[in-house]
Amino acid sequence: MFRYDPAVLERYPAIHAGIVAASRLTNGSTPPALLERYRAAQRDVAQRLATTPVAELPSIAAWRRAFAAFGAKPTQYRSAAEALLRRLAKQGDIPSINTLVDLGNLVSIRYALPVAVVDLAGIDGGITVRFATGTERFTDLGAAEAGAPEPGEVVFVDRAGVACARRWCWRQSAQSATRPTTTRALIVVEGLHDGAEADVAAATTEVAALLAEFQPAAATTAHALSARHPATVPT
């Protein structure tokens, strides 16, 4: 379902991930109770960012180093978590998109970790995190045609060679993004910093708790991945 390629683990042995596989989901407008929870988290995080620059957060700094290591300028390409936090610090608000995205973004800003919500209907088979060859196909949100990643960048790739995400946790593809019809998803939390194992575990636990509260009909399983355990195990 989700695995890290050995070459990525060799270069980035500190990676820790939490994977929540969820089915029987319903997506759409965020319910008021979850939206208020999300707005409260934004207010709390915005207060912390008033005294701590985003780039100095340990988890964000680790992603910036990772991006630089595979040739992506961290000031040009920002991890999804950094992009959210910078938007919050600058604008004071992150608009609501839908239930699943808002749920993921809530956890992302609280823990300063990238959280990807992948619609399983938009991918072929499982996901491998590996270095791109440059032959993969990637369709950006709103793009009319597919492009290709740069060779050597880290990508999420499905069985058909379609990149579900570019530059690791920079941007998801149009195919993998959630939509109103999403019923099955992978929610991926990742960290590379010292303390990532505990932070990722806490964030993954919160994802599962929010799904239990706001998607009570959903069935979920959670997995902890690392260099020692690089792939999910079917249940």
Side-chain angles (χ1 to χ4, degrees):
M1 185 185 303
F2 191 95
R3 61 181 289 270
Y4 287 96
D5 185 81
V8 170
L9 297 176
E10 183 177 0
R11 178 90 61 87
Y12 302 99
I15 187 66
H16 285 276
I19 313 295
V20 177
S23 59
R24 300 202 299 266
L25 296 166
T26 56
N27 201 22
S29 298
T30 302
L34 177 57
L35 189 57
E36 178 51 38
R37 191 89 56 88
Y38 185 29
R39 288 171 174 161
Q42 291 186 43
R43 292 191 294 269
D44 290 344
V45 174
Q47 288 181 348
R48 296 203 301 269
L49 294 178
T51 57
T52 305
V54 173
E56 293 182 8
L57 296 171
S59 57
I60 298 302
W63 281 112
R64 289 168 71 92
R65 291 191 296 271
F67 277 35
F70 61 73
K73 293 181 179 179
T75 55
Q76 182 178 0
Y77 301 104
R78 304 190 188 280
S79 70
E82 181 173 356
L84 280 174
L85 291 170
R86 285 185 176 276
R87 181 170 188 169
L88 180 59
K90 183 176 181 179
Q91 301 181 7
D93 175 70
I94 303 171
S96 174
I97 298 177
N98 61 46
T99 297
L100 293 176
V101 171
D102 288 359
L103 186 153
N105 286 350
L106 187 165
V107 175
S108 180
I109 62 172
R110 178 166 287 163
Y111 293 91
L113 295 170
V115 178
V117 185
V118 178
D119 188 336
L120 287 172
I123 66 170
D124 183 353
I127 292 173
T128 298
V129 183
R130 62 168 172 80
F131 292 108
T133 64
T135 62
E136 302 84 1
R137 303 182 307 283
F138 176 84
T139 305
D140 207 344
L141 285 167
E145 297 182 357
E150 296 289 335
E153 68 177 79
V154 179
V155 290
F156 286 15
V157 182
D158 71 8
R159 184 171 54 192
V162 175
C164 312
R166 284 196 61 186
R167 298 185 177 93
W168 207 327
C169 52
W170 170 64
R171 186 168 294 167
Q172 284 184 237
S173 68
Q175 296 96 327
S176 71
T178 62
R179 61 206 79 204
T181 56
T182 299
T183 59
R184 298 171 58 244
L186 282 186
I187 303 175
V188 183
V189 185
E190 295 178 288
L192 282 164
H193 61 290
D194 291 342
E197 183 173 13
D199 290 345
V200 167
T204 305
T205 297
E206 184 157 353
V207 167
L210 288 169
L211 286 172
E213 182 176 356
F214 294 104
Q215 297 274 294
T220 64
T221 57
H223 309 263
L225 273 60
S226 66
R228 300 185 304 276
H229 304 287
T232 58
V233 178
T235 57

